[in-house]
Amino acid sequence: MKIAVKTLKPRNPLVAPAHFRRAGTHQPGTRFMRQEGRRALQRELNQMKHSPP
């Protein structure tokens, strides 16, 4: 005797790879912006420190 199992709707095969790639926006995140701001501040401070009075 065979048992027939009713299958659910087939899953989209492209969703799983997208989740593994952490798909999202193409914009830099807030962490990047904070780091870039910190670097810019350090550059300005170094220029002020090394400039002749």
Side-chain angles (χ1 to χ4, degrees):
M1 177 166 116
K2 287 189 176 182
I3 299 174
V5 178
K6 198 172 199 179
T7 59
L8 298 175
K9 186 168 82 169
R11 290 178 177 252
N12 184 348
L14 302 178
V15 170
H19 281 288
F20 285 118
R21 281 193 307 269
R22 297 187 56 152
T25 64
H26 293 281
Q27 311 251 337
T30 56
R31 181 177 178 207
F32 169 77
M33 300 300 267
R34 280 196 313 270
Q35 287 177 355
E36 188 58 34
R38 200 174 304 130
R39 282 187 214 117
L41 176 64
Q42 288 300 319
R43 271 187 245 120
E44 286 183 39
L45 290 174
N46 282 336
Q47 285 178 352
M48 289 174 59
K49 187 168 70 171
H50 294 300
S51 66

